[in-house]
Amino acid sequence: MNTPRRWLMYVDGIGFWAAGLPNLAALRGCLRGDPALTDAPVKPAPSMLAAAEKRRAPDSVLLALEVATQACSAAARDPRELPSVFTCTYGDLAITDHMCSTLASAPTQLSPTKFHNSVHNAAAGYWGIASGSTTPTTALSAGPHSFGAGLCEAAMQLQADNDSVLLVAYDIASPPVLNQVASSTALFGAALVLSNHRSAQSVACIELVIEHGAPPSSAIFSSSLLQQLYTSNPMASCLPLFVALAGAPQTGVILSAGAELLLRMEISECPT
């Protein structure tokens, strides 16, 4: 029997966005029993985009750039310095729906801009242009295991040759016609700046073990808001990890990274 791979990595910055919980502070408030923020914006508005770009960019891009910016700011890292991993289960479902409808009804009217934004690495491309980063970036999907696969990729890059890596995970709501095959009813995004050494910005340490096994059972949260969020979006499968990183009294988290691949994590704080 092969020995499971065991890796150590540090969390230097955290980004988080969901309806009513537009940042890590709001998530921590939720864990203390605070209600969702009723005055929070209905969708992200990343500060790195100009007003005109915010109007043109699809929700998937707005979401990814918002959490990526939050994570880099919390880590006090220049985005241009960080290689990145972008993981998304379905891509931009609204654009997919629009393109399919147009192809079925008026194919010659298909918008080049919509096609441009439909590719799976669109958010990574916007991030590189907006931040001025020329560092390597990876865009991936692994179905319901997309967050775990992205985290696994980021961990391997740390072990290979990168000092730090930005991990960005996001999915948007599905249009009604696609919801039967791509279930998602809300926006959700999260990001981490991960490092292979402890620094003054490190807020947590993750001891990661990769092993074979069946996907873990569904998580149960004491907060009804978090329970609803957990089932509303495929990328919210990472919620147990972010709840732990936000300071909830739990240290062990198990996420799936494939049909028979598990990420078993022990999380500890890095006292300042």
Side-chain angles (χ1 to χ4, degrees):
M1 181 176 180
N2 295 330
T3 302
R5 294 181 179 274
R6 186 182 299 271
W7 292 330
L8 197 65
M9 54 189 174
Y10 294 89
V11 178
D12 289 353
I14 302 171
F16 189 89
W17 201 98
L21 302 174
N23 48 48
L24 180 62
L27 174 60
R28 285 175 169 150
C30 178
L31 294 173
R32 293 192 300 268
D34 296 344
L37 301 178
T38 56
D39 58 349
V42 295
K43 64 180 182 179
S47 58
M48 69 190 319
L49 291 181
E53 293 173 320
K54 289 177 188 174
R55 288 194 296 272
R56 289 194 294 264
D59 286 353
S60 56
V61 170
L62 297 176
L63 185 58
L65 268 59
E66 172 64 25
V67 294
T69 302
Q70 288 184 19
C72 289
S73 178
R77 296 295 300 266
D78 186 337
R80 294 172 295 182
E81 300 174 349
L82 293 170
S84 54
V85 176
F86 284 71
T87 181
C88 178
T89 308
Y90 297 126
D92 197 295
L93 290 168
I95 292 179
T96 300
D97 178 51
H98 174 85
M99 290 180 62
C100 289
S101 299
T102 304
L103 286 171
S105 58
T108 59
Q109 297 179 19
L110 191 64
S111 163
T113 301
K114 292 288 187 184
F115 179 79
H116 165 81
N117 287 329
S118 72
V119 296
H120 199 71
N121 64 346
Y126 272 87
W127 172 252
I129 294 170
S131 68
S133 174
T134 57
T135 54
T137 187
T138 303
L140 61 84
S141 174
H145 318 289
S146 291
F147 181 85
L151 181 59
C152 193
E153 169 67 20
M156 288 189 287
Q157 290 193 17
L158 287 177
Q159 294 298 312
D161 53 8
N162 289 325
D163 174 74
S164 302
V165 174
L166 169 66
L167 171 64
V168 184
Y170 58 98
D171 266 304
I172 66 171
S174 175
V177 71
L178 292 178
N179 203 42
Q180 294 182 12
V181 293
S183 179
S184 181
T185 58
L187 297 173
F188 177 81
L192 297 172
V193 173
L194 299 167
S195 175
N196 59 16
H197 66 274
R198 181 172 176 174
S199 70
Q201 278 70 42
S202 298
V203 295
C205 174
I206 299 176
E207 184 177 2
L208 172 68
V209 175
I210 302 176
E211 60 187 28
H212 291 288
S217 56
S218 298
I220 298 176
F221 299 91
S222 57
S223 162
S224 59
L225 175 60
L226 294 182
Q227 195 66 48
Q228 182 180 8
L229 175 59
Y230 182 65
T231 58
S232 69
N233 184 296
M235 202 55 71
S237 63
C238 71
L239 201 51
L241 173 60
F242 282 80
V243 165
L245 292 172
Q250 66 178 98
T251 58
V253 172
I254 303 175
L255 299 178
S256 67
E260 297 181 353
L261 194 64
L262 293 179
L263 305 182
R264 190 180 299 276
M265 291 171 277
E266 291 294 326
I267 298 149
S268 56
E269 293 184 3
C270 290
T272 56

